[in-house]
Amino acid sequence: MAGLFITFEGGDGSGKSTQSGLLTAWLQGQGRTVLASREPGGTDLGLELRNIVLHRRGHITPRAEALLYAADRAQHIATKVRPALARGEIVLQDRYLDSSVAYQGAGRILDPNEVRGLSIWASEGLLPDLTILLDLDADLGRGRLSERTQYDRLEDEEHEFHARVRAAYLDLAAAEPERFLVLPATDSIESLASAIRERVAGLL
Ligand code: TYD
């Protein structure tokens, strides 16, 4: 059976991990083996990088930040994702290269093509078969996160940063409509889950 690489994208608090969990359970019920993972932090090295890039106090330059995410990605794709795909498994991943283009490209204002190119280099050219974008107004997402307590460098950015991220995601989806499924994150959990299942069923 061929492997399938599905990524979830969207702003902070858009419900990616909830939907990934529901899809995992459904796919397992269909008899498929699922690797559910995430970036940053899907490997031991990645957990250390995640801690630096999300929680370190003090300035990290935009390029250094982009390279930290790329390093996390290189390790994760080579050691976990590609081997799982080669075994015919389905990989469900919270965040991938579109996060870098949206957050480091549009958010930090780096050249989006260069940021994308860096990810392509890091992953040796692995693109998702399907990307589910849970589209959410930036302020709504941040409201959902307000009860979290740990300092987070990216969540702490101002409204304009998150508005640029959202717009960049929608541009990416418009540019590759066959790869993206865009859903309003404010829909009910069950209606999102069923729209996602329907699309994924067509790929099995
Ligand atoms: P995380 O805590 O994993 O949660 P959530 O996906 O629920 O927001 O947050 C990861 C953060 O890292 C998030 O703010 C987006 C950011 N990020 C980037 O800026 N670039 C990237 O390439 C990736 C993978 C994540």
Side-chain angles (χ1 to χ4, degrees):
M1 221 177 287
L4 200 56
F5 184 32
I6 300 174
T7 58
F8 288 83
E9 296 282 358
D12 306 325
S14 56
K16 298 180 295 298
S17 48
T18 302
Q19 290 303 327
S20 170
L22 291 170
L23 185 59
T24 297
W26 181 74
L27 285 166
Q28 287 171 340
Q30 309 284 306
R32 297 296 302 252
T33 304
V34 175
L35 171 70
S37 194
R38 67 168 178 180
E39 291 184 4
T43 61
D44 288 347
L45 173 66
L47 282 173
E48 293 188 42
L49 293 169
R50 178 183 171 90
N51 207 26
I52 295 171
V53 79
L54 293 185
H55 305 305
R56 186 176 183 279
R57 302 254 173 196
H59 184 59
I60 297 179
T61 70
R63 281 167 193 263
E65 182 180 281
L67 287 162
L68 287 165
Y69 282 112
D72 168 74
R73 181 157 302 140
Q75 185 78 5
H76 185 227
I77 295 301
T79 66
K80 284 188 72 181
V81 175
R82 282 193 185 274
L85 293 173
R87 291 191 299 268
E89 296 177 12
I90 299 181
V91 177
L92 300 186
Q93 184 169 316
D94 267 24
R95 298 193 178 280
Y96 187 47
L97 86 169
D98 303 299
S99 280
S100 286
V101 177
Y103 284 77
Q104 280 65 57
R108 300 294 187 209
I109 319 196
L110 293 171
D111 181 327
N113 290 320
E114 289 182 354
V115 173
R116 183 183 163 86
L118 179 65
S119 273
I120 296 287
W121 181 79
S123 67
E124 299 183 78
L126 183 67
L127 284 174
D129 298 296
L130 172 65
T131 298
I132 296 154
L133 172 58
L134 298 175
D135 176 49
L136 183 62
D137 175 87
D139 292 331
L140 275 179
R142 282 141 65 74
R144 294 197 199 187
L145 292 174
S146 57
E147 65 276 15
R148 293 191 193 172
T149 47
Q150 193 180 15
Y151 166 74
D152 186 308
R153 290 181 52 255
L154 282 102
E155 283 168 13
D156 214 40
E157 281 297 330
E158 82 281 21
H159 168 84
E160 286 69 30
F161 176 96
H162 292 282
R164 288 198 301 277
V165 167
R166 182 194 192 187
Y169 269 137
L170 291 172
D171 287 348
L172 284 166
E176 282 183 83
E178 64 299 330
R179 171 160 73 89
F180 276 86
L181 171 63
V182 184
L183 298 168
T186 45
D187 282 2
S188 74
I189 289 176
E190 192 35 56
S191 94
L192 289 168
S194 108
I196 291 169
R197 280 196 300 270
E198 193 178 316
R199 178 64 176 261
V200 171
L203 298 174
L204 296 178

